[in-house]
Amino acid sequence: MPLLDLPWEALRSYRPDVTPPEDFDRFWEETLAEARTAGETAPPAEYRPLADSPLRTVEAYDVRFPGWDGQPVAAWLLLPRGEPAPLPAVVTYIGYSGGRGLHTEHLLWSAAGYAHLVVDSRGQGHDTPDPDPVPSPQYVGGFMTRGIEDPRHHYYRRLMADCVRAVDALRVHPAVDPERIVVQGASQGGGLALAVAGLAGEEVAAALVDVPFLSHMRRGTELATAGPYPEIVHYLGVHRRVDPEPVFRTLSYFDGLHFAPRAAAPALFSVGLMDPSCPPSTVFAAYNRYAGERKDITVWEFGDHGGGRGSQPEEQLRWLHEAGLGAGPGAD
């Protein structure tokens, strides 16, 4: 991919002056209060051991915890066998159109000594449905315009509430140190990790935000040539008489630009300067507005939407040890 975004010096200081909706904080306070109230009458989190798992050094559990409206959300919990509790923990959110997959696909963090919760994405994976009570018109099957007429019914309100509730569930697990919970993800997962860092406050000890989607969404819609942003272009192209401003207002309730200034946990971002799905200026826009006292970004000069691919986890593990959030022998 060619370099189609701002030059490097401009990216480093790119900080757009974008104002959140006037009721942004109230919207999310009410959303999370509603989700937690519904969870009080829903079945509690359930952890079922996988007796047939072929893994020997990892304890694997099939999880259901109450998410938005108390609805059960699937996850995997992977614990390093033999490591004394309480453990530092990583909560992983998944990229667009993906689900939790197989538990054997997620072995890095437990191998490094962390408890690891892998959260399914409602409606995207196979194990967590998205029963939307208010169907709305959308363009060819994506999630970006599902509920676009009203932020209260938008898909990402439900998904982001699920992601915060995952942290709520993990904090009370006996194997987990509630003071050392890290949120992590790439692409959509990175955007969700950023949102949870902004919404969950002190419940999050650190955030690992890779090539985040859902950040500076209007600019992403204008620049991206791949990934989910073109869904918005298609929607507005088909519904040519629809005013785009209410569309982008709805999306602004779920934009990383507005979560970043509300986050305080240390954070490590990553960006690919040749990313056609999440243009680098959309990543730097959130990074430069991030309010945590410690923040770093790994820049992959020739990286596409894969960012640093297999090299990024090594960067993350080193960074967590430096931040005092290491796991296993030799941890700080």
Side-chain angles (χ1 to χ4, degrees), residues 41-58:
T41 58
E46 180 181 7
Y47 301 84
R48 298 189 294 270
L50 295 183
D52 59 348
S53 173
L55 304 178
R56 294 294 173 264
T57 61
V58 174

Side-chain angles (χ1 to χ4, degrees), residues 258-285:
H258 307 317
F259 294 118
R262 291 161 171 79
L268 175 63
F269 284 66
S270 74
V271 62
L273 296 189
M274 293 189 175
D275 188 339
S277 299
C278 296
S281 61
T282 68
V283 177
F284 275 96

Side-chain angles (χ1 to χ4, degrees), residues 237-320:
V238 169
H239 300 87
R240 287 179 290 276
R241 297 186 183 276
V242 169
D243 181 355
E245 294 311 315
V247 168
F248 288 107
R249 176 177 167 78
T250 291
L251 293 173
S252 70
Y253 286 88
F254 314 103
D255 197 314
L257 281 189
H258 307 317
F259 294 118
R262 291 161 171 79
L268 175 63
F269 284 66
S270 74
V271 62
L273 296 189
M274 293 189 175
D275 188 339
S277 299
C278 296
S281 61
T282 68
V283 177
F284 275 96
Y287 174 74
N288 289 329
R289 290 166 62 99
Y290 193 86
E293 288 188 11
R294 174 169 185 175
K295 62 180 181 181
D296 300 286
I297 187 166
T298 307
V299 177
W300 302 99
E301 182 178 1
F302 295 98
D304 57 11
H305 193 50
R309 300 186 184 274
S311 299
Q312 185 63 19
E314 187 173 354
E315 300 285 333
Q316 293 171 332
L317 288 165
R318 288 199 184 106
W319 186 88
L320 286 172

Side-chain angles (χ1 to χ4, degrees), residues 81-100:
R81 193 180 299 277
E83 289 290 327
L87 297 166
V90 172
V91 182
T92 290
Y93 307 116
I94 304 299
Y96 194 78
S97 78
R100 65 174 180 163

Side-chain angles (χ1 to χ4, degrees), residues 169-208:
L170 196 59
R171 282 178 57 82
V172 297
H173 192 283
V176 170
D177 181 349
E179 303 301 317
R180 293 190 291 166
I181 294 179
V182 178
V183 292
Q184 179 269 334
S187 190
Q188 175 184 259
L192 296 173
L194 178 57
V196 174
L199 291 171
E202 295 180 355
E203 295 182 0
V204 172
L208 304 175

Side-chain angles (χ1 to χ4, degrees), residues 27-41 67-70 152 157 161 165:
F27 173 87
W28 280 108
E29 288 168 4
E30 292 175 353
T31 294
L32 296 182
E34 186 176 341
R36 286 168 172 147
T37 298
E40 292 174 359
T41 58
W68 167 252
D69 200 30
R152 293 172 300 173
R157 184 187 189 216
R165 294 290 289 144

